[in-house]
Amino acid sequence: MLNRIETKENFTDIEFPNGRITIEDDRIKIFNDEKPEKEIIELIKSNGFRWSPFWKCWCRKHTENAMHVTKKILLPKLQ
């Protein structure tokens, strides 16, 4: 298993229609070009992400579980 620092260094932003997913500030961040539908917002929130008014994105602490959730559950719904 790669540790968080190795994962961050090897991570390439994931683009999806109307947004992108990145790792910055030890957080996984989901940026949207426009407000997602209510169902998508509920899915994001139910998987541990919170809206950050400071960064203007959904974010969650960068952990192995957070990466798994992002890639296996959220990404397919965002695309």
Side-chain angles (χ1 to χ4, degrees):
M1 294 261 158
L2 294 176
N3 68 32
R4 287 189 346 237
I5 294 170
E6 288 177 88
T7 302
K8 181 192 178 308
E9 290 173 355
N10 296 317
F11 186 81
T12 303
D13 287 1
I14 300 170
E15 302 283 334
F16 60 89
N18 297 315
R20 69 183 169 90
I21 299 171
T22 190
I23 298 175
E24 298 172 350
D25 306 308
D26 203 26
R27 303 273 185 274
I28 297 175
K29 296 181 179 180
I30 302 174
F31 290 91
N32 298 96
D33 297 337
E34 52 192 55
K35 186 175 180 177
E37 297 176 12
K38 185 177 180 178
E39 298 81 31
I40 298 296
I41 291 172
E42 291 302 319
L43 180 65
I44 291 170
K45 288 169 64 175
S46 70
N47 282 285
F49 284 82
R50 296 295 173 247
W51 176 253
S52 169
F54 180 77
W55 288 312
K56 299 194 180 352
C57 66
W58 295 96
C59 58
R60 177 178 172 176
K61 179 87 171 148
H62 176 212
T63 65
E64 185 177 334
N65 187 51
M67 284 302 300
H68 174 77
V69 165
T70 302
K71 290 181 176 179
K72 302 295 181 192
I73 298 172
L74 298 179
L75 189 57
K77 298 292 185 181
L78 294 170
Q79 294 183 334

